């Protein structure tokens, strides 16, 4: 089997729409040349792609949610030309003759002969069959709808067809450490983007470089290749990519202590000597970071905290994957991929280093739901960062903050505030009298004192006198009941601002995730300072906006 492509292919790193700029900056920091990066819609295209660059991108990128190889791109003319173009693709580089594949199509703009995705997928499948059967005289790979070895994606739009091959086998944003994926939480790639916005990622880089990895692969001697192949089975059993490393544990099983977790994740490639790069010398690993702790007031399942802890501990997200789709490609460089695993293990912070010890308990979470706290702890254990987290269960935010603040270490500084505001719906505990003499807010049916609402602190809302409906049950089932209450959000943001002034450093950086229905001027008035960003995404089915404040507020300007 060949271990390199006959020609360079274009790689496509897919991401959530709106994160293209952050993804391009991340790839550039990982060592990809700037002139090879092309920002597009929902992703970044990498020119001059190779197998090693494909492995490196799939293993180290935290912001992309999918990595693909562009097999071909051609204009749409007619059915015969489309089938011939698909048959001209070098399919043995991606699909083995004894393997299986699946074609998925997305048609954004129909053409004269393609009107639906199923028909386009059938044409691509015919092109694969023609290439193997007629051109090469080899057995045709089978089609599998349940568990294919390789997935082929076809994008049709703008008079052009683009054939992509999935290199990972799934969304990289579906982190393998999630203990209960059914519980909705923020997307991990969006969480990493928020950490980028407040400058946390710039202080905790991965210390990995693409050029250095390519030099290690190019300069590897024959003895080194033989040693890698000789320890192949030993590495499979000890690596975190092995299925046993990500086995789901039952709630009855007690959590492992810090020492056990350290032994599992500090050296994910047992049997090999860790590689130390010039930028990742021993002095870099023993210097404790001077930055402060990350505090998530509504941590949920702990996605933001776990991503921040993995970033600080330099744990590559690809180390938690049991297998990748490119390992089943027709052309696969096993030695280079195992060298990549060794290189990633060498860049991880050792458990006994001063830098890692200074991170113990630096990621603080507060959550009221016991089920989410359980999911957070077990997910952190599977990610190998349980000893870095400190999660407090509290029904009230104020009590949780006091408890977490009293358990701080000596000299610990709270520098990063994450506030993922929960759902706050309208309350119907107070029903106005039938004489119509009580003022009720028209947007959320909340009673206000003397016809004036006191929240947000610097913004009043118009009220009017309304007469309640006679059928209270019908009133509860109306659409107004399920609507979110802006006034409760503004009050919560105002309280968070007071907590920030009391418990956090003066130069603390804040991330505020709120529903998009809230107005920015009202949020700034409730927060007491300017908010920047405005990154839009969907969190738990609710359109949300993420704002951040990374500069010291000027009280004379906002009060």
């Amino acid at each position: 089997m060949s271990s390199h492509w006959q020609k360079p292919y274009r790689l496509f790193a897919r991401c959530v729409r709106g994160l293209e700029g952050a993804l391009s900056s991340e790839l550039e920091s990982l060592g990809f040349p700037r002139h090879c990066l092309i920002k597009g819609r929902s992703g970044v295209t990498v020119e001059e792609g190779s197998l090693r660059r494909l492995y490196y991108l799939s293993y180290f990128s935290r912001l992309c949610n999918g990595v693909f190889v562009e097999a071909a791109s051609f204009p749409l003319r007619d059915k015969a030309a489309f089938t011939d173009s698909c048959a001209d693709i070098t399919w043995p580089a991606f699909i083995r003759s004894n393997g299986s594949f699946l074609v998925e199509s997305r048609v954004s703009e129909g053409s004269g002969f393609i009107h639906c995705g199923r028909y386009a997928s059938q044409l691509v499948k015919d092109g694969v069959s023609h290439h193997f059967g007629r051109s090469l005289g080899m057995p045709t790979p089978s089609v599998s709808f349940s568990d294919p070895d390789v997935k082929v994606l076809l994008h049709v739009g703008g008079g052009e067809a683009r054939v992509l091959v999935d290199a990972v086998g799934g969304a990289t944003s579906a982190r393998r450490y999630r203990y209960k994926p059914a519980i909705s939480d923020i997307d991990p790639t969006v969480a990493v983007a928020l950490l980028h916005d407040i400058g946390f990622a710039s202080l905790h880089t991965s210390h990995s470089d693409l050029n250095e990895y390519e030099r290690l692969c190019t300069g590897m001697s024959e003895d080194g290749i033989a040693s890698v192949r000789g320890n192949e089975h030993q590495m499979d059993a000890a690596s975190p990519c092995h299925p046993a490393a990500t086995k789901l544990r039952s709630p009855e099983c007690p959590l492992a202590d810090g020492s056990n977790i350290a032994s599992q994740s500090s050296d994910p490639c047992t049997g090999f000597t860790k590689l130390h790069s010039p930028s990742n010398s021993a002095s870099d690993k023993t210097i404790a970071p001077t930055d402060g702790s990350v505090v998530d007031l509504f941590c949920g399942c702990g996605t933001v905290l776990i991503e921040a802890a993995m970033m600080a501990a330099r744990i590559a997200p690809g180390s938690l994957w049991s297998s990748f789709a490119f390992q089943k490609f027709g052309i696969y460089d096993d030695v280079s991929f195992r060298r990549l695993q060794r290189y990633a293990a060498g860049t991880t912070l050792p458990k006994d280093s001063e830098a890692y010890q200074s991170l113990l308990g630096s990621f603080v979470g507060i959550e009221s739901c016991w089920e989410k706290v359980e999911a957070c702890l077990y997910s952190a254990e599977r990610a190998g960062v349980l000893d870095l987290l400190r999660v407090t269960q509290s029904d009230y935010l104020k009590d949780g903050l006091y408890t977490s603040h009293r358990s701080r270490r000596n000299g610990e500084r709270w520098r990063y505030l994450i506030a993922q505001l929960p759902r706050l719906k309208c309350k119907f505990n107070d029903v106005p009298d039938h004489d119509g003499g009580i003022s009720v807010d028209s947007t959320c049916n909340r009673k206000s004192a003397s016809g004036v609402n006191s929240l947000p602190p610097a913004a009043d809302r118009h009220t009017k006198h309304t007469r309640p409906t006679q059928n209270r049950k019908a009133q509860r089932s109306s659409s107004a009941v399920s609507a979110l209450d802006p006034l409760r959000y503004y009050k919560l943001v105002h309280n968070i601002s007071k907590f920030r002034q009391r418990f956090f450093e003066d130069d603390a950086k804040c991330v505020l995730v709120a529903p998009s229905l809230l107005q920015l001027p009202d949020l700034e008035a409730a927060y007491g300072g300017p908010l920047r960003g405005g990154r839009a995404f969907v969190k738990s089915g609710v359109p949300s906006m993420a704002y951040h404040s990374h500069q010291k507020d000027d009280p004379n300007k906002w009060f």
Side-chain angles (χ1 to χ4, degrees):
M1 181 186 300
S2 177
S3 60
H4 62 277
W5 286 332
Q6 299 297 329
K7 63 176 183 178
Y9 285 93
R10 302 175 69 183
L11 309 179
F12 180 70
R14 186 183 62 188
C15 66
V16 178
R17 187 174 301 178
L19 304 184
E20 296 87 357
L23 176 58
S24 178
S25 301
E26 182 199 35
L27 297 182
E28 187 176 351
S29 66
L30 290 176
F32 287 90
R34 179 181 297 181
H35 67 274
C36 294
L37 304 179
I38 303 175
K39 290 189 293 184
R41 184 179 181 182
S42 301
V44 177
T45 301
V46 181
E47 299 283 352
E48 302 176 4
S50 62
L51 282 176
R52 293 168 183 170
R53 293 190 175 188
L54 174 65
Y55 302 161
Y56 186 86
L57 174 61
S58 305
Y59 209 83
F60 280 102
S61 179
R62 302 180 188 272
L63 284 172
C64 70
N65 58 12
V67 181
F68 304 87
V69 182
E70 184 179 297
S73 179
F74 46 86
L76 294 175
R77 298 176 182 174
D78 51 26
K79 177 181 176 181
F82 182 87
T83 305
D84 293 340
S85 299
C86 293
D88 293 339
I89 299 175
T90 311
W91 290 111
F94 309 105
I95 307 175
R96 302 177 183 179
S97 60
N98 58 350
S100 60
F101 71 100
L102 177 65
V103 182
E104 297 179 354
S105 300
R106 297 178 182 177
V107 180
S108 58
E109 296 180 8
S111 61
F113 63 97
I114 296 180
H115 300 282
C116 64
R118 288 189 176 182
Y119 182 67
S121 300
Q122 182 63 36
L123 294 179
V124 176
K125 183 257 181 186
D126 294 341
V128 175
S129 301
H130 292 170
H131 183 86
F132 278 93
R134 298 180 182 179
S135 302
L136 302 179
M138 300 173 59
T140 303
S142 60
V143 177
S144 175
F145 293 94
S146 58
D147 187 20
D149 295 336
V150 178
K151 288 185 179 180
V152 180
L153 278 72
L154 173 66
H155 291 265
V156 177
E160 186 181 15
R162 192 180 185 188
V163 182
L164 304 175
V165 181
D166 189 359
V168 179
T172 55
S173 58
R175 301 290 201 252
R176 291 299 186 261
Y177 61 73
R178 288 294 304 274
Y179 175 66
K180 292 184 177 181
I183 302 178
S184 61
D185 203 4
I186 189 172
D187 187 276
T189 59
V190 177
V192 174
L194 299 182
L195 295 173
H196 274 264
D197 292 339
I198 59 177
F200 179 84
S202 61
L203 298 175
H204 299 277
T205 58
S206 61
H207 286 247
S208 58
D209 184 73
L210 173 63
N211 297 325
E212 184 180 10
Y213 164 65
E214 290 181 337
R215 287 195 300 268
L216 290 174
C217 294
T218 304
M220 187 168 51
S221 62
E222 294 296 332
D223 296 338
I225 297 177
S227 63
V228 171
R229 291 177 177 174
N231 292 281
E232 178 177 350
H233 299 287
Q234 181 181 2
M235 183 174 184
D236 286 342
S239 173
C241 294
H242 194 269
T246 57
K247 184 178 179 181
L248 185 65
R249 302 186 58 172
S250 61
E252 292 78 9
C253 183
L255 291 174
D257 55 11
S259 60
N260 291 337
I261 296 175
S263 62
Q264 293 178 4
S265 61
S266 62
D267 189 8
C269 299
T270 305
F272 296 93
T273 303
K274 287 191 175 183
L275 301 176
H276 298 276
S277 61
S279 61
N280 191 27
S281 59
S283 60
D284 294 335
K285 290 189 174 185
T286 57
I287 296 177
T290 58
D291 211 37
S293 302
V294 178
V295 182
D296 194 345
L297 302 183
F298 309 94
C299 66
C301 296
T303 301
V304 177
L305 296 177
I306 294 175
E307 291 294 331
M310 291 180 62
M311 192 180 302
R314 305 173 191 171
I315 300 177
S319 62
L320 301 178
W321 279 77
S322 59
S323 62
F324 292 86
F326 57 70
Q327 294 178 284
K328 300 179 181 179
F329 280 4
I331 297 180
Y332 170 58
D333 190 354
D334 182 72
V335 175
S336 296
F337 179 65
R338 297 189 180 280
R339 174 67 66 166
L340 175 65
Q341 291 179 316
R342 293 180 57 189
Y343 178 72
T347 58
T348 305
L349 281 179
K351 297 287 184 176
D352 55 351
S353 64
E354 180 183 354
Y356 189 90
Q357 294 298 322
S358 65
L359 296 173
L360 298 179
S362 298
F363 303 91
V364 183
I366 301 173
E367 178 56 44
S368 60
C369 178
W370 275 107
E371 187 178 10
K372 292 183 178 180
V373 171
E374 178 194 55
C376 176
L377 295 178
Y378 281 99
S379 298
E381 183 187 21
R382 297 176 67 179
V385 293
L386 178 61
D387 48 352
L388 303 184
L389 267 64
R390 190 169 74 248
V391 183
T392 302
Q393 192 280 333
S394 177
D395 294 334
Y396 298 97
L397 177 61
K398 184 177 181 180
D399 297 340
L401 275 172
Y402 274 104
T403 302
S404 301
H405 195 266
R406 285 195 299 266
S407 61
R408 292 190 309 170
R409 298 174 301 170
N410 294 331
E412 181 180 350
R413 304 170 60 200
W414 285 9
R415 287 288 307 279
Y416 299 98
L417 169 62
I418 311 295
Q420 305 178 62
L421 303 185
R423 290 190 181 185
L424 299 177
K425 296 184 179 180
C426 301
K427 289 184 177 180
F428 288 88
N429 297 330
D430 299 327
V431 180
D433 297 334
H434 291 281
D435 57 1
I438 296 180
S439 177
V440 180
D441 186 89
S442 60
T443 59
C444 59
N445 285 349
R446 288 196 62 189
K447 190 192 305 183
S448 58
S450 303
V452 178
N453 287 316
S454 58
L455 294 173
D460 295 334
R461 300 186 64 88
H462 297 288
T463 59
K464 68 178 182 179
H465 297 283
T466 59
R467 185 179 182 87
T469 58
Q470 299 296 331
N471 190 347
R472 187 173 180 179
K473 183 177 180 180
Q475 182 185 18
R476 290 182 179 273
S477 61
S478 62
S479 59
V481 179
S482 60
L484 302 178
D485 190 349
L487 296 181
R488 297 183 65 192
Y489 278 105
Y490 296 141
K491 181 178 180 180
L492 178 59
V493 172
H494 182 62
N495 292 333
I496 290 175
S497 177
K498 293 191 296 184
F499 293 148
R500 178 183 63 86
Q501 297 175 4
R502 181 166 186 175
F503 296 106
F504 290 79
E505 300 293 328
D506 295 337
D507 57 346
K509 305 172 184 179
C510 174
V511 172
L512 188 66
V513 179
S516 57
L517 62 91
L518 303 181
Q519 301 297 326
L520 179 58
D522 295 337
L523 279 176
E524 290 180 332
Y527 179 74
L531 296 174
R532 302 170 181 84
R535 191 181 297 278
F537 60 95
V538 178
K539 178 180 180 293
S540 302
V542 178
S544 304
M545 299 286 290
Y547 304 96
H548 61 87
S549 173
H550 55 81
Q551 294 182 0
K552 188 175 181 179
D553 300 335
D554 185 6
N556 298 326
K557 181 178 179 180
W558 295 95
F559 292 96

